[in-house]
Amino acid sequence: MAVNPKKLRPYDQPPRVRRPLIPSRPDSAATAFTVLAALWLAAATGLGALWLLTLSFPDQLHYEMEFAVPIIGTLGIEYSADTVFSAFTGALVFGWLSNAAFAAILFITPRLTGVRLRSEAAAWGGVAFWNLGVASGIAGIYIPQIAAHSPLAEFPLPSDGLMLLGMLSVNAAFWRTLLAAGRQLPYVSIWFFGVALLASMGAYALGAAAQAGATFINLDETAVALIYAFVARALATYWILGVTLGTLLYLVPRVTLNALASGGLAAAAWLLWAVLAGLSAVGALVDPSVPFVITTLGNVGTILLVAPIFMVVADLAMSLHGRWAMALSAGTLAYCLVAMAFLIGSSVLEAIGALRSVQGLVHGTEWVVGTSLFGSLGAATFAFLALSDHGAPRMLRRDWGGSLLDDATLWATFAGAAMASLALVGAGIVHGSLILDGAQPDEVSGTLLWFRLVAAGGLGLASLGAVCLLATLFLMYTTARRADYTAVDVAPAAAE
């Protein structure tokens, strides 16, 4: 006769395993940055579509918004095309691209240095501080009493402080890991990441200092505006472009299992980028008070910035020897190739826009936003989507073979980015031509309507791609089998 085992009393039961308040599992902070980045991508593209619709139908949409949300008028919240555009750029650059860039740095660095990320807790502090700062900053844009008035520099000072703490936290985790590795000459991606982290933190601190000066000591408005313009351009060239190039230089050799074709070419590209990115930011100082020679040097830097980008793309293309067939299906390499194509297009358009004759035609038009989207929604977005495709299964420890959602993410985002960018570039050329011909505002608005609607549709498609990315991450975590991936491995080799 079987004897029933004695039922355990409460004090006989083994203690429950308590989870730490701050996760310490490898890649946990990178996972959090990735998920939050995908959420911000959906929000940013939705705000971009709303901005273009507000430009197209300003009176109707403003009335509908006030009718649907009465609190807008009650609290004195400012709703206009300018505020929605500011929220769009903030969500795109600081929400999507910056979170994805932090994820890339925290995921790639341990795998290139061969050691675990030092201070996962500090990285989690970056997650919290950065996203609280971005969310509160975007909310503050709609309160005119506390917001500044320049793209990528509109956030109130408390939000700036939180975001600087977030940058400092990620910097601490990165540099501690690099010092712990003890390698004298790490792989070239680390070089890009190091400069990008330091330069972006310095640039953002400069912008916050300018806003503090304008608030407390009545700093000259022209000087503040020039600083804001410099900061915005520096964030694009040092932060977004730098992490994009570093990510692609890691992913292509890793996915193809080929060595990087030329380590010397990559190192030369890094050196040129580090110099020309800062010089290009000087080109944003467009004002009669700035000496002509300074802005000219800045424009020359923007034109020459084509060189390191082409060098990196050529190096990666040579590294694809014998692996081109991998690009025929949706996957990491397909995302990388699209990013490389957008990189070339973005650099060429930026160089064309730096010419004085072209600046006279398209300054202040949709051209500026269109060329910016080639780099942000095109090149950088697809580089970070490639990282998500390659890295998310390893971060979540899941065996993921892909699904139709991967195809939907690739094609919806590609179609959306191409439509929005090209439509706005075309609108800028038409807009500038109409102004030179002396067209009336109503005629200009009517002519640009279809360009703006096409661009809004493109951003809507990109938003659909973001939703597919979120669904992919959810299904990967909930339905895929667990798998063991090492958090560190051998760095991709580079040929001399």
Side-chain angles (χ1 to χ4, degrees), residues 50 97 158 160 178 185 257 260 290 361 393 421 426 480 489:
L50 179 61
L97 294 176
D160 288 338
L178 192 59
L185 195 64
L257 301 180
L260 187 65
V290 179
L361 175 67
S421 303
D489 51 25

Side-chain angles (χ1 to χ4, degrees), residues 190-449:
I190 298 294
W191 306 3
F192 279 98
F193 294 161
V195 174
L197 281 168
L198 292 177
S200 62
M201 188 166 65
Y204 201 84
L206 177 62
Q211 185 173 351
T215 303
F216 299 112
I217 60 174
N218 296 321
L219 192 64
D220 181 69
E221 292 184 2
T222 301
V224 172
L226 289 174
I227 292 173
Y228 285 165
F230 175 84
V231 168
R233 182 61 182 167
L235 289 173
T237 55
Y238 272 122
W239 177 230
I240 303 303
L241 179 59
V243 182
T244 297
L245 295 176
T247 300
L248 291 174
L249 284 165
Y250 170 82
L251 286 175
V252 172
R254 175 69 67 212
V255 173
T256 60
L257 301 180
N258 287 341
L260 187 65
S262 173
L265 185 62
W270 169 81
L271 183 60
L272 275 176
W273 162 78
V275 174
L276 295 175
L279 190 60
S280 175
V282 174
L285 305 178
V286 180
D287 188 81
S289 62
V290 179
F292 178 80
V293 66
I294 292 179
T295 55
T296 301
L297 285 174
N299 291 333
V300 170
T302 300
I303 295 171
L304 293 180
L305 198 57
V306 171
I309 292 174
F310 271 63
M311 291 165 67
V312 170
V313 171
D315 203 358
L316 294 175
M318 290 188 292
S319 304
L320 287 169
H321 177 70
R323 300 288 185 176
W324 286 96
M326 295 177 64
L328 297 179
S329 60
T332 304
L333 189 58
Y335 286 116
C336 289
L337 289 175
V338 174
M340 290 158 61
F342 271 109
L343 264 177
I344 294 173
S346 172
S347 62
V348 171
L349 284 173
E350 292 283 0
I352 293 173
L355 299 174
R356 295 282 182 179
S357 57
V358 178
Q359 284 182 344
L361 175 67
V362 300
H363 180 69
T365 69
E366 292 80 358
W367 165 283
V368 178
V369 183
T371 55
S372 174
L373 286 183
F374 255 94
S376 57
L377 195 59
T381 289
F382 277 92
F384 296 143
L385 288 176
L387 177 85
S388 176
D389 185 83
H390 172 78
R394 290 161 175 80
M395 297 179 202
L396 298 173
R397 308 294 191 269
R398 294 294 187 271
D399 183 11
W400 182 253
S403 69
L404 290 176
L405 286 171
D406 295 313
D407 295 321
T409 302
L410 172 63
W411 291 109
T413 310
F414 171 73
M419 284 173 58
S421 303
L422 292 173
L424 289 173
V425 167
I429 297 172
V430 172
H431 194 169
S433 301
L434 289 174
I435 291 176
L436 288 179
D437 291 341
Q440 297 299 314
D442 290 342
E443 181 184 354
V444 172
S445 298
T447 305
L448 297 180
L449 175 63

